[in-house]
Amino acid sequence: FLAYFNLIKPAYEEAQHVKGEQLSRQGFIDTQRAAVQQVQNLISAYQGQGELQEAVSLALPLGEDFAGILAELNGLAQGSNLTPQYFSAAAKSVGRAGTVSAARGKSTSTVQQLVRPINTITFQARFVGTYEDLKSFIRKLEANIRIFDVQSMSIQPTAKSTQDIYTIELTIGTYYQGL
């Protein structure tokens, strides 16, 4: 009984103290790992927002870029074996992009900075090519990152009715963010 109080009880108390320290350290490590994981998740979320903003800016660029749009349409046409005959362009303002709810914690001035007017540019274009070339061009317009709308289309045979060559007139609209 004396050996229990002099040898075993102090050793048992020391073992409990060491085990308590070990559990405390393990809890600290687990808490730190969770904090590091949360920071990594936040970093990846903010990196994804930059990519999202970049994608939106490609679909709806900041400002009109007539030369870039003409080069893009010309490249899509030539990549589809259509021969461009002419292009003409006209720009007009469409209105506001929408509103952001003030309940999200943003002030009115911040909301107004985020909401930009959406403007449109309308192109008249004439191409010469086959019906398959036209279908290829339309598919490329649909798959393009920039938003294009085919607003009207007219197809007239260029040569004899037995040939598959047409004159194609298109009205194409695209959009950009006003400043």
Side-chain angles (χ1 to χ4, degrees):
F1 189 71
L2 190 59
Y4 173 75
F5 283 110
N6 288 338
L7 299 174
I8 296 175
K9 189 172 181 183
Y12 180 74
E13 288 175 356
E14 179 68 24
Q16 290 294 352
H17 180 69
V18 169
K19 188 172 185 176
E21 280 187 28
Q22 181 184 12
L23 289 174
S24 174
R25 288 181 182 163
Q26 185 63 41
F28 176 74
I29 289 172
D30 292 342
T31 303
Q32 292 301 312
R33 283 186 181 152
V36 167
Q37 184 63 38
Q38 285 179 333
V39 168
Q40 288 175 339
N41 290 343
L42 285 173
I43 289 171
S44 66
Y46 282 114
Q47 287 175 342
Q49 285 184 356
E51 293 169 4
L52 176 64
Q53 182 180 4
E54 184 178 316
V56 169
S57 291
L58 289 173
L60 286 170
L62 297 171
E64 56 190 41
D65 179 18
F66 286 103
I69 297 167
L70 281 174
E72 199 167 346
L73 287 173
N74 190 42
L76 291 172
Q78 290 181 351
S80 300
N81 294 322
L82 288 176
T83 305
Q85 299 294 306
Y86 79 83
F87 290 103
S88 67
K92 72 175 183 173
S93 175
V94 172
R96 299 298 272 173
T99 59
V100 177
S101 173
R104 292 187 179 167
K106 306 240 187 266
S107 68
T108 305
S109 63
T110 304
V111 171
Q112 289 174 350
Q113 290 174 358
L114 294 175
V115 179
R116 296 176 186 240
I118 300 293
N119 298 316
T120 186
I121 301 173
T122 303
F123 287 90
Q124 299 288 331
R126 180 183 295 155
F127 304 104
V128 174
T130 66
Y131 185 72
E132 290 301 317
D133 297 339
L134 172 63
K135 289 190 330 186
S136 173
F137 177 74
I138 299 293
R139 277 193 295 274
K140 288 179 181 182
L141 272 180
E142 289 176 346
N144 198 3
I145 187 126
R146 180 186 277 263
I147 299 171
F148 285 107
D149 291 330
V150 176
Q151 297 169 346
S152 69
M153 180 178 355
S154 168
I155 302 173
Q156 300 293 325
T158 301
K160 297 177 184 174
S161 61
T162 57
Q163 294 179 329
D164 186 32
I165 298 176
Y166 300 95
T167 300
I168 304 145
E169 292 190 20
L170 296 170
T171 302
I172 302 168
T174 189
Y175 305 93
Y176 67 95
Q177 298 177 52
L179 299 176

